[in-house]
Amino acid sequence: MMTQAAHRPAMPPRAKRRIPVPGQSPAEDRMLAMIAALASELAVTRERLDSVERLLDRANIVDRAAIETFTPNAIQTGERDAIRRRLIAHIFGPLRSDADAQGDA
């Protein structure tokens, strides 16, 4: 008997270290790595979200049109805003740390 996990595609292995771009500063290198990581995460998230939407639609739980027209209430909007702020703080944390360290110098 196969488990659900056996049907999931394997995550691609983590990319090896990129070849440095001549003349690129360490900060630029970090930002490029950050952008590449975000792009990868976004692609995986979109694929998984698409799967969830299709499964919900197929099971007649939620149709895709309802997802497109959904409007969050005030509490849900506040929760989404908090999630967005935490995500942005997490993503840009290394840049803020670098800026703070340079300010102390």
Side-chain angles (χ1 to χ4, degrees):
M1 180 172 125
M2 296 189 107
T3 64
Q4 286 290 74
H7 295 291
R8 283 192 193 141
M11 290 293 292
R14 197 174 269 292
K16 293 179 182 173
R17 182 77 180 134
R18 295 178 302 98
I19 297 171
V21 176
Q24 189 172 12
S25 72
E28 291 168 324
D29 187 54
R30 282 192 301 276
M31 287 187 61
L32 184 56
M34 188 172 72
I35 291 167
L38 283 169
S40 175
E41 289 294 328
L42 179 59
V44 170
T45 300
R46 285 183 177 241
E47 288 176 7
R48 292 181 61 87
L49 180 58
D50 178 69
S51 297
V52 169
E53 288 179 5
R54 289 175 190 273
L55 290 169
L56 289 171
D57 190 43
R58 184 188 310 161
N60 292 317
I61 296 171
V62 175
D63 70 320
R64 294 182 94 167
I67 293 169
E68 294 299 324
T69 59
F70 176 76
T71 302
N73 64 30
I75 292 171
Q76 294 163 337
T77 298
E79 291 170 345
R80 287 179 173 193
D81 288 345
I83 291 167
R84 186 178 306 108
R85 283 191 303 275
R86 282 192 306 270
L87 181 62
I88 289 169
H90 179 68
I91 291 168
F92 291 102
L95 296 177
R96 174 164 280 182
S97 294
D98 284 352
D100 289 348
Q102 289 176 3
D104 291 340

